[in-house]
Amino acid sequence: MKPALTRRTIKAPLHWTELPMGEWLAAEIQERLNLWCPQLFGYHLLKLGALSSELSCRCSSIRHQSALAAEGERLSLCGELGALPIRDGAIDVCLLAHALDYCADPHQVLREVDRVLTNDGWVIISGFNPHSLVGLGRWIPSLRQRQPWHARLFAPARIRDWLELLGFEMVQCELFGFSSFSGNSRIHWWRENLGRDYVPYLASVYVLAARKRTVPLTLEPQRAWRRKPIIVPGMARI
């Protein structure tokens, strides 16, 4: 298993059109957001990364929505994902569309997401699956410096392990895109249906939603022993 931290320079795309079949990929992720966003409530929604800023979360009741990245066009804030200029517990939902695929330290990014989220906050993450046709393309030397094979691919199971260590609970996970995402690749409905039914773990793209869970320091059984007695000294007795 490759380490999460790397020192190599990773060029992140600023628009979906910079990725092969990027418009189709953005439309598929947007379709999932349209289904999940009505279940999200709160006051503040933060989109992390330039690709996230181009997605819409209008189906959510959260009105204050902002985007943050190091560079881009539709940004509200400019900053690094590993050092968010936001106070603790101020955000209700964080959206990371392929943000972890293009960061040098995904652990630090998730720690920052955990810090700025409220106790019951949500995080939505999309990325490329290394156990897929996209992952096989990384073994071809001529493709390693091209998109999306230039990205860092982390399996959805690994992302889930990282989130669980931070106290998140996986709520939803969908996999799609049974394609190599090369220039001459095509998406066929029959291949998508067969892949989702029989080999979903070989899909090239995943989108997952997790919710932050905070366990109280005082457990309920211990709290029950500390309750005050019904009868206290000095009360009238028959």
Side-chain angles (χ1 to χ4, degrees):
M1 181 180 296
K2 64 179 180 180
L5 179 63
T6 184
R7 297 185 180 275
R8 70 182 180 93
T9 303
I10 306 173
K11 178 61 177 178
L14 301 181
H15 305 283
W16 289 101
T17 54
E18 297 181 20
L19 294 174
M21 303 173 58
E23 295 181 355
W24 178 87
L25 178 58
E28 288 294 317
I29 297 177
Q30 185 63 60
E31 182 179 349
R32 274 74 180 176
L33 291 178
N34 293 340
L35 295 176
W36 298 352
C37 281
Q39 306 176 25
L40 307 178
F41 301 94
Y43 299 97
H44 305 284
L45 186 149
L46 181 62
K47 304 175 183 178
L48 298 177
L51 297 181
S52 301
S53 66
E54 296 186 345
L55 297 175
S56 174
C57 297
R58 296 180 180 179
C59 295
S60 173
S61 61
I62 302 177
R63 297 307 176 188
H64 186 266
Q65 302 182 11
S66 55
L68 183 147
E71 55 181 334
E73 297 180 358
R74 304 180 182 181
L75 302 180
S76 306
L77 300 170
C78 291
E80 298 294 334
L81 303 188
L84 300 177
I86 301 173
R87 65 180 177 86
D88 299 357
I91 305 299
D92 298 284
V93 181
C94 283
L95 172 63
L96 292 87
H98 294 270
L100 298 182
D101 292 337
Y102 296 95
C103 66
D105 192 355
H107 286 173
Q108 178 60 24
V109 174
L110 291 180
R111 283 193 292 265
E112 281 293 282
V113 170
D114 175 61
R115 180 183 64 82
V116 302
L117 278 180
T118 59
N119 290 338
D120 292 323
W122 290 81
V123 58
I124 300 177
I125 301 175
S126 69
F128 292 110
N129 181 18
H131 309 305
S132 63
L133 294 177
V134 173
L136 293 177
R138 301 182 65 207
W139 296 97
I140 303 176
S142 60
L143 298 179
R144 292 179 181 176
Q145 300 303 322
R146 296 167 54 186
Q147 300 287 6
W149 303 278
H150 176 64
R152 307 186 65 203
L153 279 58
F154 300 104
R158 192 174 183 185
I159 301 296
R160 179 175 182 173
D161 291 340
W162 293 347
L163 292 174
E164 289 180 349
L165 288 176
L166 292 173
F168 284 82
E169 177 187 0
M170 186 73 65
V171 178
Q172 188 76 20
C173 183
E174 289 193 18
L175 296 96
F176 61 92
F178 295 86
S179 169
S180 62
F181 282 84
S182 59
N184 56 357
S185 179
R186 295 291 183 271
I187 294 294
H188 301 284
W189 64 268
W190 58 267
R191 185 166 57 186
E192 287 291 306
N193 292 338
L194 290 176
R196 293 174 185 177
D197 293 339
Y198 298 102
V199 285
Y201 49 86
L202 295 181
S204 297
V205 185
Y206 64 87
V207 183
L208 59 87
R211 194 169 190 181
K212 182 178 178 181
R213 299 300 190 185
T214 303
V215 180
L217 296 179
T218 304
L219 301 179
E220 289 298 331
Q222 298 178 1
R223 184 178 299 177
W225 286 103
R226 297 182 180 181
R227 293 176 181 173
K228 296 182 180 180
I230 300 177
I231 300 178
V232 297
M235 292 184 65
R237 300 176 183 272
I238 299 178

